[in-house]
Amino acid sequence: MKPNTRALGACLALPLSALLLACGGGGGGADNGSANPATPVPPPVAVDPFQGTAYLKVSETSRFKGKTYGMERSIHQQLVDQCNALRRAYYDLPAQQPDEAVMAGLDTQITERFFDTDKAATYTSGYALTLSDLERWSAEAKLLNGVAPAVPPDCSAHSKVAIETGWLWRDGVRYELRFKDSKALGNRSSSTLSKTTLASDEQVRAMPSDTVMGERCHKPQIPLEGIVAGESCLWDRYPMVAYLNWPWNLSGKTTLGSGEQTLERQLQVLAIEQGKPLNAAKLALPPGFSVTTP
């Protein structure tokens, strides 16, 4: 078949833009022939690495080095011993004391930590003991001008006195929660309200790591702000940054004091969660508290 030289000549005589249309160029319809500029791609939105929730519950037990008891147990034991000295001196009766589990629990505190993006809270609870029957005996002896009451003191009788402390970070304020008198003391200038990098990503990667209850943590080898080197394993849920009540320690033993008064504090994780809804009441000011914010 001979080529259509007349049509070919017509094509060659056309300008380039018309040539593409008349001679089959451009790949198709009129829409493709219009020059639409490419839609600009928006820059990526920076994501706050502190978004999301975290929860940790730990027990911390403090004991004198080489001993089976700590400071709180020691103080309360002195009161029990004084009570039993009265039983022996005035009544020639054997010693008594509260159950061992109750006495041992004096050296342990429970701490719960909550974090939700821009809010955080830390609550620590424990207890002290009141020797209720010793108080009764002492009050009667005072009325009798030092004469021993007829009924000896029961040194095992006791009442637990709850001890609770709390800190709350929200709305740009750090609150000290005083449960004893229902007060919240606010501070807008606390350094904990701003982010302070404790270690770079490279430094974190170089740290030894461990796993506690399925969660990874890193062990700093040099002292960080408020962190004991070699004794702590810091959860990697959020960056190695001091912010609100972060970072959180998942294991380790710290030592306080010296000589016979050296205390060793052992930490044990009881519960750990991330990415789950938190109790909103724990991240709010307690109802009925008076609030003071300078």
Side-chain angles (χ1 to χ4, degrees):
M1 180 182 294
K2 295 182 179 181
N4 188 338
T5 56
R6 182 177 297 179
L8 179 60
C11 282
L12 294 175
L14 291 173
L16 178 60
S17 58
L19 181 64
L20 291 173
L21 293 175
C23 300
D31 288 342
N32 289 334
S34 61
N36 290 328
T39 303
V41 178
V45 178
V47 177
D48 184 353
F50 279 92
Q51 286 186 346
T53 64
Y55 169 74
L56 179 67
K57 183 178 182 180
V58 302
S59 68
E60 293 180 279
T61 301
S62 299
R63 296 190 177 100
F64 289 116
K65 187 175 182 179
K67 305 291 184 181
T68 59
Y69 57 87
M71 183 177 296
E72 293 301 321
R73 167 70 182 267
S74 179
I75 292 172
H76 284 77
Q77 189 65 56
Q78 291 178 25
L79 293 175
V80 173
D81 292 345
Q82 291 174 10
C83 180
N84 282 309
L86 296 172
R87 286 174 61 83
R88 287 192 304 270
Y90 291 104
Y91 308 96
D92 194 24
L93 291 174
Q96 299 173 320
Q97 74 171 35
D99 292 340
E100 175 58 27
V102 173
M103 295 294 289
L106 290 163
D107 292 326
T108 297
Q109 293 182 325
I110 303 298
T111 297
E112 289 185 285
R113 300 181 188 275
F114 302 82
F115 197 105
D116 189 358
T117 304
D118 58 356
K119 298 183 290 293
T122 298
Y123 299 95
T124 299
S125 60
Y127 63 84
L129 295 182
T130 295
L131 299 183
S132 51
D133 202 50
L134 175 61
E135 292 185 349
R136 184 272 310 165
W137 188 94
S138 299
E140 290 182 5
K142 186 176 182 180
L143 292 175
L144 295 171
N145 295 319
V147 177
V151 179
D154 181 350
C155 301
S156 66
H158 65 276
S159 299
K160 285 186 178 181
V161 180
I163 299 174
E164 185 173 11
T165 60
W167 297 90
L168 173 67
W169 293 260
R170 61 170 297 133
D171 307 320
V173 182
R174 185 199 68 179
Y175 295 96
E176 177 189 353
L177 303 178
R178 297 186 176 180
F179 291 91
K180 188 175 181 180
D181 50 11
S182 298
K183 291 183 179 180
L185 305 183
N187 183 348
R188 297 183 184 276
S189 59
S190 171
S191 61
T192 61
L193 295 167
S194 58
K195 298 180 177 71
T196 302
T197 299
L198 299 176
S200 66
D201 291 342
E202 182 179 359
Q203 289 172 320
V204 172
R205 287 193 294 269
M207 293 178 185
S209 63
D210 199 356
T211 301
V212 177
M213 293 186 71
E215 297 292 336
R216 190 184 185 202
C217 58
H218 297 278
K219 298 180 178 181
Q221 301 302 292
I222 59 173
L224 305 179
E225 182 179 340
I227 306 298
V228 179
E231 297 284 356
S232 303
C233 198
L234 304 178
W235 193 12
D236 73 350
R237 170 66 176 90
Y238 294 118
M240 196 75 73
V241 171
Y243 178 53
L244 308 185
N245 64 355
W246 196 260
W248 296 356
N249 191 13
L250 301 189
S251 69
K253 181 173 64 176
T254 56
T255 302
L256 305 172
S258 60
E260 293 183 355
Q261 297 301 307
T262 300
L263 280 173
E264 295 180 332
R265 176 175 294 174
Q266 185 71 47
L267 181 147
Q268 180 182 1
V269 174
L270 303 178
I272 186 169
E273 295 177 353
Q274 61 172 308
K276 296 183 179 180
L278 301 176
N279 183 347
K282 294 294 187 179
L283 292 164
L285 288 165
F289 272 47
S290 61
V291 180
T292 303
T293 306

